[in-house]
Amino acid sequence: MPYEPPTHTVERSLRATTGARIVAGVDEVGRGAWAGPVTVCAAVTGLRRPPTGLTDSKLLTPKRRTSLAAELEQWVTSYALGDASPQEIDELGMTAALRLAAVRALEGLPVRPDAVILDGKHDYLGTPWQVRTVIKGDQSCVAVAAASVIAKVRRDALMAELDAESEGCAAFGFAANAGYPSPVHKAALEELGPTPYHRLSWSYLDALPRWRHLKKVRLAAEAAALESGGQLGFDF
């Protein structure tokens, strides 16, 4: 299906209205998975013409994503990745874990960006970052689309490594499902229970009587405060 290529429109607007010189595009992957980290990529692209075919990673075939990610890693001005582990997700909640991963990515850039284009409608970053949220930014903004592709390929590779190298993970099919619910993943959970890479505060455990006792309840006051106030007042 044909799609409109992403542009630098939002970045140009930020530069004009805020005086920002360095603008990073930020996108996440793994938010809806049952296992594995949530991964965030921050990418700085400048205003150069992007590689042909760049768009939201979800619109690309795995083969095309992988080849495009390799091209993007050489093409972008800079990029960095940040993860929040399943344990951090369980302890903090997804909203705060997303912020943690995003801050790790942004602070991993060689130069701190003056502004951030964040995919979606919710600003889970907040202060002190200057943020512009863009719904479907991974389709419309060059830097966010680049971040989307790099993050997806890197996290998929990590989950495939777990599948191949971690004892007890092969039955879950992480190489194929990347930790998202699938028939193979669900069947393995029912039979074997969760691995150390699963998120244990999630509701899928409610449907697994044999393993329901492993479910973690988030009680940390600081996590609740993060999610109840200001721009972090939502959960996934």
Side-chain angles (χ1 to χ4, degrees):
M1 181 181 294
Y3 47 80
E4 290 293 320
T7 69
H8 295 294
T9 300
V10 176
E11 184 170 337
R12 291 182 190 278
S13 171
L14 276 169
R15 287 170 175 247
T17 58
T18 70
R21 295 180 301 105
I22 299 172
V23 179
V26 169
D27 198 17
E28 56 76 25
V29 64
R31 188 172 65 188
W34 288 359
V38 62
T39 298
V40 173
C41 180
V44 177
T45 65
L47 300 177
R48 294 171 297 143
R49 183 173 180 172
T52 301
L54 177 62
T55 188
D56 172 13
S57 64
K58 296 185 291 295
L59 300 178
L60 301 169
T61 65
K63 182 178 179 180
R64 178 56 182 144
R65 266 199 310 266
T66 300
S67 64
L68 184 57
E71 188 176 355
L72 286 167
E73 288 174 10
Q74 300 301 314
W75 175 80
V76 297
T77 303
S78 61
Y79 77 93
L81 292 140
D83 293 319
S85 70
Q87 293 74 28
E88 288 170 328
I89 293 168
D90 287 336
E91 290 169 8
L92 300 173
M94 182 51 78
T95 301
L98 272 172
R99 186 179 197 277
L100 181 63
V103 169
R104 285 170 173 166
L106 287 163
E107 291 184 343
L109 293 170
V111 179
R112 183 185 176 95
D114 303 308
V116 175
I117 305 172
L118 190 62
D119 182 51
K121 64 180 180 179
H122 295 290
D123 177 8
Y124 56 77
L125 265 171
T127 57
W129 305 94
Q130 181 168 263
V131 176
R132 176 79 59 86
T133 58
V134 179
I135 296 173
K136 294 189 177 180
D138 48 10
Q139 293 182 36
S140 61
C141 302
V142 169
V144 180
S148 165
V149 173
I150 294 172
K152 172 66 173 166
V153 170
R154 287 297 190 94
R155 186 181 181 279
D156 282 359
L158 171 65
M159 298 305 292
E161 286 176 17
L162 289 180
D163 195 324
E165 299 174 8
S166 297
E167 186 176 350
C169 285
F172 293 85
F174 290 159
N177 60 47
Y180 286 84
S182 71
V184 168
H185 190 171
K186 291 177 182 179
L189 268 171
E190 240 183 285
E191 178 65 25
L192 303 171
T195 70
Y197 306 102
H198 278 86
R199 303 168 187 181
L200 298 181
S201 60
W202 285 43
S203 61
Y204 69 83
L205 280 170
D206 294 336
L208 300 172
R210 287 178 62 191
W211 311 107
R212 196 178 295 151
H213 65 284
L214 298 175
K215 187 173 180 182
K216 291 186 176 180
V217 178
R218 237 179 336 113
L219 298 174
E222 59 270 26
L226 276 171
E227 291 194 357
S228 65
Q231 299 180 64
L232 301 184
F234 69 103
D235 206 351
F236 296 94

